[in-house]
């Protein structure tokens, strides 16, 4: 686990700032949060207990408060400035911990890993998913959101440092 190269994916700093400014009110962030919330509520068996969650590549942290309703949230964001912002923003929450990166101490630990619009930024998406699957406990689940359809790949994807978009078939693979 510790050998995964975390330096191989990124977003431009101005994108993080734009997300921070817009995450509360923008329809895209609000709708995606509600969809993720409903998927978790419907598909994760809580058995009346708080679960261990990893928000991997949390960006501006738009999903953290929502995830906090389900349990203990461990937040990994590669960008140091954004990670520091998140530490300050969530410092009063006992159930939220901003981490440097997941490591062997987290192996088989998480009940749920959320990867919201991250793996398209990773050159080797299969490697990151293999790495993250090792962090899941026996019954753990990964929830992934990605941009769809490679035929829609455009200059905007290039600016956002996307390597690809996904079809249903590629997503399942």
């Amino acid at each position: 686990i510790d050998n995964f190269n975390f330096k191989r994916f990124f977003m431009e700093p101005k994108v993080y700032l734009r997300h921070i400014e817009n995450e509360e009110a923008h329809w895209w962030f609000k709708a995606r949060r509600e969809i993720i919330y409903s998927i978790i509520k419907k598909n994760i068996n809580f058995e009346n207990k708080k679960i261990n969650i990893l928000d991997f590549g949390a960006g501006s942290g738009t999903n953290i408060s929502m995830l906090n309703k389900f349990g203990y949230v461990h937040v990994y964001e590669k960008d140091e400035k954004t990670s520091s912002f998140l530490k300050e923003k969530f410092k009063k929450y006992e159930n939220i911990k901003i981490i440097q990166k997941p490591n062997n101490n987290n192996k088989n630990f998480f009940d749920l890993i959320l990867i919201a619009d991250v793996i398209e930024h990773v050159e080797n998406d299969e490697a990151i998913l293999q790495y993250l699957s090792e962090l899941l406990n026996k019954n753990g689940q990964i929830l992934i959101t990605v941009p769809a359809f490679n035929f829609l790949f455009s200059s905007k994807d290039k600016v956002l440092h996307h390597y690809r978009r996904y079809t249903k078939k590629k997503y399942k693979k």
Side-chain angles (χ1 to χ4, degrees):
I1 289 175
D2 286 326
N3 294 332
F4 187 81
N5 185 352
F6 282 84
K7 296 179 181 174
R8 297 292 307 257
F9 67 99
F10 66 96
M11 285 192 328
E12 296 289 339
K14 63 185 174 188
V15 175
Y16 287 106
L17 293 174
R18 194 168 57 242
H19 285 195
I20 289 168
E21 291 170 3
N22 295 305
E23 68 177 298
E24 290 300 319
H26 194 278
W27 67 269
W28 168 254
F29 294 110
K30 289 172 70 172
R32 189 175 66 168
R33 252 191 320 273
E34 287 182 30
I35 291 167
I36 291 170
Y37 178 84
S38 68
I39 290 170
I40 294 170
K41 193 141 180 80
K42 182 179 176 183
N43 294 291
I44 304 292
N45 184 6
F46 299 102
E47 300 172 7
N48 296 320
K49 71 174 184 101
K50 292 189 177 281
I51 63 172
N52 290 307
I53 303 165
L54 172 61
D55 188 354
F56 185 82
S60 62
T62 188
N63 296 308
I64 296 171
S65 293
M66 176 269 297
L67 292 171
N68 189 43
K69 296 173 184 175
F70 297 108
Y72 304 98
V73 184
H74 300 257
V75 179
Y76 171 72
E77 174 47 54
K78 186 185 99 37
D79 183 76
E80 290 180 26
K81 287 183 180 179
T82 307
S83 185
S84 294
F85 165 79
L86 294 173
K87 279 183 185 177
E88 183 62 28
K89 181 176 180 178
F90 293 104
K91 68 183 177 185
K92 295 180 181 176
Y93 292 79
E94 291 182 21
N95 288 355
I96 299 171
K97 182 178 179 183
I98 312 303
I99 61 175
Q100 293 289 322
K101 72 173 184 173
N103 57 42
N104 282 329
N105 295 333
N106 302 123
K107 197 170 187 177
N108 302 315
F109 179 73
F110 294 105
D111 301 295
L112 172 66
I113 298 175
L114 174 62
I115 314 166
D117 294 353
V118 172
I119 64 171
E120 66 274 11
H121 296 274
V122 180
E123 188 172 1
N124 188 342
D125 55 351
E126 291 179 20
I128 192 73
L129 292 174
Q130 177 61 44
Y131 163 79
L132 291 170
S133 69
E134 294 176 20
L135 302 177
L136 287 171
N137 65 32
K138 180 181 172 187
N139 296 313
Q141 296 183 44
I142 295 178
L143 174 55
I144 305 168
T145 64
V146 292
F149 305 118
N150 227 19
F151 69 85
L152 293 174
F153 196 90
S154 70
S155 58
K156 182 176 180 180
D157 289 286
K158 291 177 185 175
V159 167
L160 293 172
H161 301 286
H162 291 177
Y163 284 97
R164 73 201 66 76
R165 287 174 164 261
Y166 291 81
T167 61
K168 189 174 181 180
K169 183 178 178 181
K170 171 74 174 159
Y171 186 78
K172 283 184 174 184
K173 182 181 175 238

